[in-house]
Amino acid sequence: MRVAALAGGTGAAKLLRGLAASLDSSALSVVVNTGDDAEVWGLHVSPDLDSVMYALAGVLDAGRGWGRADEAFRCLSAMAVYGAPTWFGLGDRDLATHLVRTRALHEGRTLSAVTADLAHALGVASRILPMSDEAVRTTIRTPDGRLGFQEYFVRDKCQVEVVGVDYDGAERARPAPGVLEAIRDADLVVVCPSNPVTSVGPILAVPGVAEALGATRASVVGVSPIVGGAAVSGPAGALLRARGLPVSPLGVARAYAPWLRALLIAPEDAACAPELAALGVRAVVTDVMMPDREREAALGRAVLAAR
Ligand code: FO1
């Protein structure tokens, strides 16, 4: 069975590990959000590409959910001495990824090409596809002005009022090579339990992607990142509200209408099932929490069974 997943952030990394436990890894293609990408110390950082790559390579830090395991931050300390900004925690091993990526981009290679090389070097057999080779930047509108996503998320710890979200550059971006084909040729498309507004939203904003999801023969199955009226992690609640969507599986389903076919929801949200059905979305009530590898794998199996 060929599986295409739409991914961004830590929930996605966990589910992908869970799916990989039940799938031939070469059957999995992951389309990853790059709206979070940022330039740090002159380096091109792609947090969601790296979280997915490190998770599938088995080197993602388990505690933080981002960056590499067995990490040190000696360069970060040294940069502080020079007065460089240190609110974005680049680890020493992680730096190697950004150095290689940045040099390749400066040499004129595409983000998708360098991503494939990095993933291959780390032994990842699944395809990791940036949503686009062109820059799309998620920007948070606040009453005091616009913030880059990492300024909002890491520097300001989501403690500012959000009045809107923009995907700068999306209208001119093209899907990266392989993205539309992965969606078209899949038997199952999985929308990971990622933030619908800032992780999956940028992918859907790339022209052609939402159309491909509407046209695919694959069954499109999502996992709700909202449980019991709140996000499992991160600012998805505030961002859904800023979009005028309810902070519930219904808000998630509405963000993915009209192509979402089934949504895995937690037992405490089972009462949403009839309203989801009215939106054309079949509710699958199951355990959607992933505190350990066993439950990641169990959720992976539940997603594959929901097809
Ligand atoms: N998240 C944090 O909360 N603090 C950090 O200092 C931080 C550094 C960082 C470095 C590399 C990387 O790939 C990810 C990093 N993240 C950090 C996570 C990142 O902000 C988020 O995972 C995503 O952008 C949200 O999906």
Side-chain angles (χ1 to χ4, degrees):
M1 174 172 32
R2 281 164 304 180
V3 176
L6 308 188
T10 50
K14 288 170 170 231
L15 179 62
L16 291 167
R17 254 188 333 225
L19 284 168
S22 297
L23 275 179
D24 175 5
S25 33
S26 60
L28 177 63
S29 298
V30 191
V31 178
V32 183
N33 171 42
T34 54
D36 291 12
D37 287 17
E39 185 164 302
V40 183
W41 308 336
L43 301 176
H44 184 113
V45 181
S46 294
D48 287 353
L49 281 174
D50 292 347
S51 296
V52 168
M53 178 172 77
Y54 293 157
L56 293 176
V59 299
L60 183 72
D61 184 85
R64 292 190 306 272
W66 53 266
R68 292 195 57 157
D70 192 17
E71 186 58 288
F73 291 85
R74 295 169 68 96
C75 180
L76 188 79
S77 310
M79 291 299 274
V81 174
Y82 292 130
T86 52
W87 55 263
F88 196 74
L90 292 185
D92 298 349
R93 285 174 185 269
D94 190 30
L95 266 175
T97 303
H98 314 311
L99 285 166
V100 169
R101 174 189 294 122
T102 305
R103 187 181 62 180
L105 293 173
H106 283 165
E107 288 170 356
R109 304 198 65 221
T110 61
L111 184 58
S112 45
V114 66
T115 300
D117 287 353
L118 290 165
H120 178 74
L122 289 180
V124 177
S126 303
R127 291 212 305 163
I128 303 180
L129 304 167
M131 64 193 200
S132 177
D133 281 331
E134 279 105 33
V136 177
R137 292 293 172 265
T138 300
T139 306
I140 307 295
R141 268 183 278 132
T142 78
D144 298 322
R146 285 158 48 90
L147 297 174
F149 179 78
Q150 299 300 344
E151 292 172 317
Y152 163 73
F153 186 75
V154 176
R155 190 193 63 194
D156 297 348
K157 300 183 171 43
C158 313
Q159 296 302 306
V160 291
E161 188 191 336
V162 180
V163 294
V165 177
D166 300 318
Y167 310 120
D168 292 350
E171 63 291 343
R172 291 181 306 280
R174 288 162 300 167
V179 166
L180 297 183
E181 294 80 355
I183 294 170
R184 184 192 63 202
D185 299 339
D187 302 300
L188 170 67
V189 175
V190 180
V191 189
C192 290
S194 302
N195 187 317
V197 180
T198 53
S199 293
V200 182
I203 303 176
L204 303 179
V206 175
V209 173
E211 292 76 1
L213 288 160
T216 182
R217 288 172 296 106
S219 165
V220 185
V221 174
V223 177
S224 178
I226 304 288
V227 170
V232 173
S233 71
L239 293 165
L240 281 168
R241 243 177 259 117
R243 270 282 152 88
L245 293 167
V247 185
S248 76
L250 286 172
V252 178
R254 276 172 50 193
Y256 302 149
W259 38 262
L260 188 71
R261 290 285 157 264
L263 185 63
L264 275 63
I265 62 172
E268 47 268 60
D269 293 316
C272 292
E275 282 175 277
L276 287 170
L279 290 172
V281 176
R282 174 169 51 93
V284 178
V285 178
T286 189
D287 178 13
V288 296
M289 304 304 284
M290 295 179 282
D292 55 43
R293 294 296 179 97
E294 256 172 51
R295 282 165 75 184
E296 288 174 4
L299 185 54
R301 289 192 296 274
V303 168
L304 296 174
R307 186 165 81 100

